[in-house]
Coordinates of all heavy atoms in Angstrom, one line a residue:
M1 N 141.0 69.5 45.8 CA 141.4 70.0 44.4 C 141.7 71.4 44.4 O 140.9 72.3 44.6 CB 140.2 69.7 43.4 CG 140.5 69.7 42.0 SD 141.7 68.5 41.5 CE 141.9 68.9 39.8
P2 N 143.0 71.8 44.1 CA 143.3 73.3 44.2 C 142.8 74.0 43.0 O 142.7 73.5 41.9 CB 144.9 73.2 44.2 CG 145.4 71.8 44.0 CD 144.1 70.9 43.7
C3 N 142.5 75.3 43.3 CA 142.0 76.2 42.3 C 143.1 76.8 41.5 O 144.3 76.6 42.0 CB 141.0 77.2 42.9 SG 141.8 78.4 43.8
W4 N 142.7 77.5 40.5 CA 143.9 78.2 39.7 C 144.7 79.2 40.7 O 145.9 79.3 40.4 CB 143.3 79.0 38.5 CG 142.4 80.1 38.9 CD1 141.0 80.0 39.2 CD2 142.7 81.5 39.1 NE1 140.6 81.3 39.5 CE2 141.6 82.2 39.5 CE3 144.0 82.1 39.1 CZ2 141.6 83.4 39.8 CZ3 143.9 83.4 39.4 CH2 142.8 84.1 39.8
A5 N 144.0 79.8 41.6 CA 144.7 80.8 42.3 C 145.7 80.1 43.3 O 146.8 80.6 43.6 CB 143.7 81.6 43.2
C6 N 145.3 78.9 43.8 CA 146.1 78.1 44.7 C 147.3 77.6 44.0 O 148.4 77.5 44.3 CB 145.3 76.9 45.2 SG 144.2 77.4 46.6
E7 N 147.1 77.2 42.6 CA 148.2 76.8 41.8 C 149.2 77.9 41.6 O 150.4 77.7 41.6 CB 147.7 76.4 40.4 CG 146.9 75.1 40.4 CD 147.7 73.8 40.8 OE1 149.0 74.0 40.6 OE2 147.3 72.8 41.2
R8 N 148.6 79.1 41.3 CA 149.5 80.2 41.2 C 150.3 80.5 42.5 O 151.5 80.9 42.4 CB 148.7 81.4 40.9 CG 149.4 82.5 40.1 CD 148.5 83.5 39.6 NE 148.1 83.3 38.3 CZ 148.1 84.2 37.2 NH1 148.4 85.4 37.5 NH2 147.7 83.8 36.0
A9 N 149.6 80.4 43.6 CA 150.3 80.6 44.9 C 151.5 79.6 45.1 O 152.4 79.9 45.8 CB 149.3 80.4 46.0
K10 N 151.2 78.4 44.5 CA 152.3 77.4 44.7 C 153.6 77.8 43.9 O 154.7 77.6 44.4 CB 151.8 76.1 44.1 CG 151.5 75.0 45.0 CD 151.3 73.7 44.4 CE 149.8 73.3 44.5 NZ 149.5 72.1 43.7
V11 N 153.4 78.5 42.8 CA 154.5 79.0 42.0 C 155.1 80.3 42.6 O 156.2 80.4 42.7 CB 154.1 79.2 40.6 CG1 155.2 79.8 39.7 CG2 153.5 78.0 39.9
N12 N 154.2 81.1 42.9 CA 154.7 82.5 43.5 C 153.7 82.8 44.7 O 152.6 83.2 44.5 CB 154.5 83.6 42.4 CG 154.8 84.9 43.0 OD1 155.4 85.0 44.2 ND2 154.6 86.0 42.3
R13 N 154.2 82.5 45.8 CA 153.4 82.7 47.0 C 152.9 84.0 47.3 O 151.8 84.2 47.8 CB 154.3 82.2 48.3 CG 153.6 82.2 49.6 CD 152.6 81.0 49.6 NE 151.7 81.1 50.8 CZ 150.7 80.3 51.1 NH1 150.4 79.3 50.2 NH2 150.0 80.4 52.1
A14 N 153.7 85.1 46.8 CA 153.2 86.4 47.0 C 152.3 87.0 45.9 O 152.0 88.2 45.8 CB 154.6 87.3 47.0
S15 N 151.8 86.0 45.0 CA 151.1 86.6 43.9 C 149.7 87.3 44.3 O 149.3 88.2 43.6 CB 150.7 85.4 43.0 OG 149.9 84.4 43.6
G16 N 149.2 86.7 45.4 CA 148.1 87.6 45.9 C 146.7 87.4 45.3 O 145.9 88.2 45.3
Y17 N 146.5 86.3 44.6 CA 145.2 85.9 43.9 C 144.4 85.0 44.8 O 145.0 84.0 45.3 CB 145.4 85.2 42.6 CG 146.0 86.1 41.5 CD1 147.3 86.2 41.2 CD2 145.1 87.0 40.8 CE1 147.8 87.1 40.2 CE2 145.6 87.9 39.8 CZ 146.9 87.8 39.6 OH 147.4 88.7 38.6
Y18 N 143.2 85.3 44.8 CA 142.3 84.4 45.6 C 141.0 84.0 44.8 O 140.4 85.0 44.2 CB 141.8 85.2 46.9 CG 143.0 85.7 47.7 CD1 143.3 87.0 47.7 CD2 143.8 84.9 48.4 CE1 144.3 87.5 48.3 CE2 144.9 85.4 49.1 CZ 145.1 86.7 49.1 OH 146.2 87.3 49.7
Q19 N 140.6 82.8 44.9 CA 139.4 82.4 44.2 C 138.2 82.4 45.1 O 138.3 81.7 46.2 CB 139.6 81.0 43.5 CG 138.3 80.4 43.0 CD 137.7 81.1 41.8 OE1 138.4 81.4 40.8 NE2 136.5 81.5 41.9
A20 N 137.1 83.1 44.9 CA 136.0 83.1 45.8 C 135.4 81.7 45.9 O 135.4 81.0 44.8 CB 135.0 84.1 45.3
G21 N 135.1 81.3 47.1 CA 134.5 79.9 47.3 C 135.5 78.8 47.4 O 135.1 77.7 47.8
C22 N 136.8 79.2 47.4 CA 137.9 78.1 47.6 C 138.2 78.3 49.0 O 138.7 79.3 49.5 CB 139.0 78.3 46.7 SG 140.5 77.3 47.1
A23 N 138.1 77.2 49.8 CA 138.4 77.2 51.2 C 139.9 77.6 51.6 O 140.2 78.2 52.5 CB 138.0 75.9 51.8
V24 N 140.8 77.0 50.7 CA 142.2 77.2 50.9 C 142.5 78.7 50.7 O 143.2 79.4 51.4 CB 143.0 76.4 50.0 CG1 144.6 76.6 50.2 CG2 142.8 74.9 50.3
C25 N 142.0 79.3 49.6 CA 142.1 80.7 49.3 C 141.6 81.5 50.3 O 142.2 82.6 50.8 CB 141.4 81.0 48.0 SG 142.3 80.5 46.5
T26 N 140.4 81.3 50.8 CA 139.9 82.0 52.0 C 140.8 82.0 53.2 O 141.1 83.0 53.7 CB 138.5 81.4 52.4 OG1 137.7 81.3 51.3 CG2 137.9 82.2 53.4
A27 N 141.3 80.8 53.5 CA 142.2 80.7 54.6 C 143.5 81.5 54.4 O 144.0 82.2 55.3 CB 142.6 79.3 54.9
R28 N 144.0 81.5 53.1 CA 145.3 82.1 52.8 C 145.0 83.6 52.8 O 145.9 84.4 53.3 CB 145.7 81.8 51.4 CG 147.1 82.1 51.1 CD 147.5 81.5 49.8 NE 146.9 82.0 48.6 CZ 146.1 81.1 47.8 NH1 145.8 79.9 48.1 NH2 145.4 81.7 46.7
Q29 N 143.8 84.2 52.4 CA 143.6 85.6 52.5 C 143.4 86.0 53.9 O 143.9 87.1 54.3 CB 142.3 85.7 51.7 CG 142.0 87.2 51.4 CD 140.8 87.4 50.5 OE1 140.0 86.5 50.3 NE2 140.8 88.6 49.8
L30 N 142.7 85.2 54.7 CA 142.5 85.6 56.1 C 143.7 85.6 56.8 O 143.9 86.5 57.7 CB 141.5 84.5 56.8 CG 140.1 84.7 56.6 CD1 139.3 83.6 57.2 CD2 139.5 86.0 57.2
A31 N 144.7 84.8 56.6 CA 146.0 84.7 57.2 C 146.7 86.1 57.0 O 147.6 86.3 57.8 CB 146.8 83.6 56.7
R32 N 146.5 86.7 55.9 CA 147.1 88.0 55.7 C 146.4 89.2 56.0 O 146.9 90.3 55.8 CB 147.4 88.1 54.1 CG 148.4 86.9 53.7 CD 148.4 86.7 52.2 NE 149.4 85.6 51.9 CZ 149.5 85.2 50.7 NH1 149.0 85.9 49.7 NH2 150.5 84.3 50.4
M33 N 145.3 89.0 56.6 CA 144.5 90.2 57.0 C 144.8 90.6 58.5 O 145.3 89.7 59.3 CB 142.9 89.8 56.9 CG 142.4 89.8 55.5 SD 140.7 89.5 55.6 CE 140.3 89.8 53.9
P34 N 144.5 91.9 58.8 CA 144.6 92.4 60.1 C 143.8 91.5 61.1 O 142.7 91.0 60.6 CB 144.1 93.7 60.0 CG 144.1 94.2 58.6 CD 143.9 93.0 57.8
R35 N 144.2 91.5 62.3 CA 143.6 90.5 63.3 C 142.1 90.7 63.5 O 141.3 89.7 63.4 CB 144.3 90.8 64.6 CG 143.8 89.7 65.6 CD 144.6 89.8 66.9 NE 144.1 88.7 67.9 CZ 143.0 88.8 68.6 NH1 142.3 90.0 68.6 NH2 142.7 87.9 69.3
Q36 N 141.6 91.9 63.4 CA 140.2 92.2 63.5 C 139.4 91.7 62.4 O 138.2 91.2 62.7 CB 139.9 93.7 63.8 CG 140.1 94.5 62.6 CD 141.4 95.2 62.6 OE1 142.3 94.8 63.3 NE2 141.5 96.4 62.1
H37 N 139.9 91.6 61.3 CA 139.2 90.9 60.1 C 139.1 89.4 60.3 O 138.1 88.8 60.0 CB 140.0 91.2 58.8 CG 139.9 92.6 58.3 ND1 139.0 92.9 57.2 CD2 140.4 93.6 58.8 CE1 139.2 94.2 57.1 NE2 139.9 94.7 57.9
R38 N 140.1 88.8 60.9 CA 140.2 87.4 61.0 C 139.1 87.1 62.1 O 138.4 86.2 62.1 CB 141.5 86.9 61.6 CG 142.5 86.5 60.4 CD 143.6 85.6 60.9 NE 144.3 86.2 61.9 CZ 145.3 87.1 61.8 NH1 145.5 87.5 60.5 NH2 145.9 87.7 62.8
V39 N 139.1 87.9 63.3 CA 138.1 87.7 64.4 C 136.8 87.8 63.8 O 135.9 87.0 64.2 CB 138.5 88.7 65.5 CG1 137.3 88.7 66.5 CG2 139.8 88.4 66.1
A40 N 136.5 88.7 63.0 CA 135.1 88.9 62.4 C 134.8 87.8 61.6 O 133.6 87.2 61.6 CB 135.1 90.2 61.6
A41 N 135.7 87.2 60.8 CA 135.4 85.9 60.0 C 135.2 84.8 60.8 O 134.2 84.1 60.5 CB 136.7 85.8 59.0
Y42 N 135.9 84.8 61.9 CA 135.6 83.5 62.7 C 134.1 83.6 63.4 O 133.5 82.6 63.5 CB 136.6 83.5 63.9 CG 138.0 83.1 63.5 CD1 139.1 83.7 64.1 CD2 138.3 82.4 62.3 CE1 140.4 83.4 63.7 CE2 139.6 82.1 61.8 CZ 140.6 82.6 62.5 OH 142.0 82.4 62.1
A43 N 133.8 84.9 63.7 CA 132.4 85.1 64.3 C 131.4 84.8 63.3 O 130.4 84.2 63.6 CB 132.4 86.6 64.8
A44 N 131.6 85.2 62.0 CA 130.7 85.0 61.0 C 130.6 83.4 60.8 O 129.4 82.9 60.6 CB 131.2 85.6 59.7
E45 N 131.6 82.8 60.8 CA 131.7 81.3 60.6 C 130.8 80.6 61.7 O 130.0 79.7 61.4 CB 133.2 80.8 60.6 CG 133.3 79.3 60.3 CD 132.9 79.0 58.7 OE1 132.9 80.0 58.0 OE2 132.8 77.8 58.5
R46 N 131.0 81.1 63.0 CA 130.3 80.5 64.1 C 128.7 80.9 63.9 O 127.9 80.0 64.2 CB 130.8 81.2 65.4 CG 130.2 80.5 66.6 CD 131.0 80.9 67.9 NE 131.2 82.3 67.9 CZ 132.5 82.9 67.9 NH1 133.6 82.2 68.0 NH2 132.6 84.2 68.0
D47 N 128.5 82.0 63.5 CA 127.1 82.4 63.3 C 126.4 81.6 62.3 O 125.1 81.3 62.5 CB 127.0 83.9 62.8 CG 127.2 84.9 64.0 OD1 127.3 84.4 65.1 OD2 127.5 86.0 63.7
K48 N 127.1 81.2 61.2 CA 126.4 80.3 60.3 C 126.5 78.8 60.6 O 126.2 78.0 59.8 CB 126.9 80.6 58.8 CG 128.4 80.3 58.5 CD 128.7 80.5 57.1 CE 130.1 79.9 56.8 NZ 130.6 80.2 55.4
G49 N 127.0 78.6 61.8 CA 127.1 77.1 62.2 C 128.2 76.4 61.7 O 128.3 75.2 61.6
G50 N 129.3 77.1 61.2 CA 130.4 76.5 60.6 C 131.3 76.0 61.6 O 131.2 76.2 62.8
D51 N 132.5 75.3 61.2 CA 133.6 74.8 62.1 C 134.6 75.8 62.3 O 135.4 75.9 61.5 CB 134.1 73.5 61.5 CG 134.9 72.7 62.4 OD1 135.4 73.4 63.5 OD2 135.2 71.6 62.3
V52 N 134.5 76.6 63.3 CA 135.4 77.7 63.6 C 136.8 77.1 63.8 O 137.9 77.7 63.3 CB 135.0 78.5 64.8 CG1 136.0 79.7 65.1 CG2 133.6 79.1 64.5
T53 N 136.9 76.1 64.5 CA 138.2 75.4 64.9 C 139.1 75.0 63.6 O 140.2 75.3 63.5 CB 138.2 74.3 65.8 OG1 137.4 74.7 66.9 CG2 139.4 73.8 66.3
A54 N 138.2 74.5 62.7 CA 138.8 74.0 61.5 C 139.2 75.2 60.6 O 140.4 75.1 60.1 CB 137.8 73.2 60.7
L55 N 138.4 76.2 60.7 CA 138.8 77.5 59.8 C 140.1 78.0 60.5 O 141.0 78.4 59.9 CB 137.7 78.5 59.9 CG 137.9 79.7 59.2 CD1 138.2 79.6 57.6 CD2 136.8 80.8 59.4
Q56 N 140.1 78.2 61.8 CA 141.3 78.8 62.4 C 142.6 77.9 62.1 O 143.7 78.5 62.0 CB 141.1 78.7 63.9 CG 140.2 79.9 64.5 CD 139.9 79.7 65.9 OE1 139.8 78.7 66.5 NE2 139.6 80.8 66.5
Q57 N 142.4 76.6 62.1 CA 143.6 75.7 61.8 C 144.0 75.9 60.3 O 145.2 75.9 60.0 CB 143.2 74.3 62.0 CG 143.3 73.9 63.5 CD 142.7 72.5 63.9 OE1 142.0 71.9 63.1 NE2 142.8 72.1 65.1
A58 N 143.1 76.1 59.5 CA 143.3 76.3 58.1 C 144.1 77.6 57.9 O 145.1 77.7 57.1 CB 142.1 76.2 57.2
V59 N 143.7 78.6 58.6 CA 144.3 79.9 58.5 C 145.7 79.8 59.1 O 146.7 80.4 58.5 CB 143.5 80.9 59.3 CG1 144.3 82.3 59.3 CG2 142.2 81.3 58.5
R60 N 145.8 79.2 60.2 CA 147.1 78.9 60.8 C 148.1 78.2 59.8 O 149.3 78.6 59.9 CB 146.9 78.1 62.1 CG 148.1 77.9 63.0 CD 148.3 79.0 63.9 NE 149.8 79.1 64.2 CZ 150.3 80.3 64.7 NH1 149.6 81.4 64.9 NH2 151.5 80.4 65.0
K61 N 147.6 77.3 59.2 CA 148.5 76.5 58.2 C 149.0 77.4 57.1 O 150.2 77.3 56.7 CB 147.7 75.3 57.7 CG 148.4 74.2 57.0 CD 147.5 73.1 56.6 CE 147.9 72.5 55.2 NZ 147.0 71.6 54.7
Q62 N 148.1 78.2 56.7 CA 148.4 79.1 55.6 C 149.4 80.1 56.0 O 150.4 80.5 55.3 CB 147.3 79.8 55.0 CG 146.3 78.9 54.2 CD 146.9 78.2 53.1 OE1 147.7 78.8 52.3 NE2 146.8 76.9 52.9
Y63 N 149.2 80.6 57.3 CA 150.2 81.6 57.8 C 151.6 80.9 58.1 O 152.6 81.6 57.7 CB 149.7 82.0 59.2 CG 150.7 82.8 60.0 CD1 151.0 84.2 59.6 CD2 151.5 82.4 61.1 CE1 151.9 85.0 60.2 CE2 152.4 83.2 61.6 CZ 152.5 84.4 61.3 OH 153.5 85.2 61.9
E64 N 151.7 79.7 58.4 CA 152.9 79.0 58.6 C 153.6 78.9 57.2 O 154.8 79.0 57.1 CB 152.8 77.6 59.2 CG 152.2 77.6 60.7 CD 153.2 78.3 61.6 OE1 154.4 78.4 61.4 OE2 152.8 78.8 62.7
I65 N 152.9 78.6 56.2 CA 153.5 78.5 54.8 C 154.0 79.9 54.4 O 155.1 80.0 53.9 CB 152.4 78.0 53.8 CG1 152.0 76.6 54.2 CG2 153.0 78.0 52.3 CD1 150.8 76.0 53.3
D66 N 153.2 80.9 54.6 CA 153.7 82.3 54.3 C 154.9 82.7 55.0 O 155.9 83.1 54.4 CB 152.6 83.3 54.7 CG 151.5 83.6 53.6 OD1 151.6 83.0 52.6 OD2 150.6 84.4 53.9
K67 N 154.9 82.3 56.3 CA 156.2 82.5 57.1 C 157.4 81.8 56.5 O 158.5 82.3 56.4 CB 155.8 82.2 58.6 CG 156.6 83.0 59.7 CD 156.1 82.8 61.0 CE 156.4 81.4 61.6 NZ 156.1 81.3 62.9
S68 N 157.3 80.5 56.3 CA 158.3 79.7 55.8 C 158.8 80.2 54.4 O 160.0 80.0 54.1 CB 157.9 78.2 55.6 OG 157.1 78.0 54.6
K69 N 157.8 80.9 53.6 CA 158.3 81.3 52.3 C 158.7 82.8 52.4 O 159.0 83.5 51.3 CB 157.0 81.2 51.3 CG 156.6 79.8 51.3 CD 157.0 79.2 49.9 CE 156.4 77.7 49.8 NZ 156.9 77.1 48.7
G70 N 158.6 83.5 53.6 CA 159.0 84.8 53.8 C 158.0 85.8 53.2 O 158.3 86.9 53.0
V71 N 156.7 85.3 53.1 CA 155.8 86.2 52.7 C 154.9 86.9 53.8 O 154.4 88.0 53.7 CB 154.7 85.4 51.8 CG1 153.6 86.3 51.2 CG2 155.5 84.9 50.6
A72 N 155.0 86.3 55.0 CA 154.2 86.8 56.1 C 154.8 88.2 56.5 O 155.9 88.5 56.4 CB 154.3 85.9 57.3
Q73 N 153.8 89.1 56.9 CA 154.2 90.4 57.3 C 154.8 90.4 58.7 O 154.5 89.6 59.5 CB 152.9 91.3 57.5 CG 152.1 91.4 56.2 CD 150.7 91.7 56.4 OE1 150.2 91.6 57.5 NE2 150.0 91.9 55.3
Ligands
ZN1 ZN1 142.2 78.3 46.0

């Protein structure tokens, strides 16, 4: 179920809104962060016993969407 920020990103990919607690928003935000932030987020995910691979794939997916929409840096 997409949150309001995800709905907004669908209309305007560059809108830059993120809803805390939304996994898709988190991935979209991470995809736009400098590399060291992403690495830190993956380490934090691993520390809390989360699925790092799934998170990396989600971020990758968001990055690809950004790239296809011309939003990626
Ligand atoms: Zn969202």
Side-chain angles (χ1 to χ4, degrees):
M1 195 63 181
C3 73
W4 65 270
C6 286
E7 287 294 341
R8 206 171 260 230
K10 254 190 249 173
V11 178
N12 176 13
R13 188 69 193 172
S15 63
Y17 289 99
Y18 309 103
Q19 170 67 55
C22 172
V24 180
C25 282
T26 301
R28 195 167 66 247
Q29 193 171 23
L30 279 174
R32 296 167 178 180
M33 281 183 171
R35 190 172 180 278
Q36 68 264 29
H37 286 257
R38 273 198 305 279
V39 171
Y42 296 148
E45 187 71 13
R46 186 167 49 239
D47 286 350
K48 69 175 187 185
D51 189 339
V52 180
T53 306
L55 180 61
Q56 284 172 329
Q57 281 168 354
V59 171
R60 186 81 207 163
K61 192 174 151 195
Q62 292 301 314
Y63 172 74
E64 293 297 337
I65 297 171
D66 271 0
K67 212 167 65 169
S68 72
K69 304 252 182 193
V71 179
Q73 298 151 354

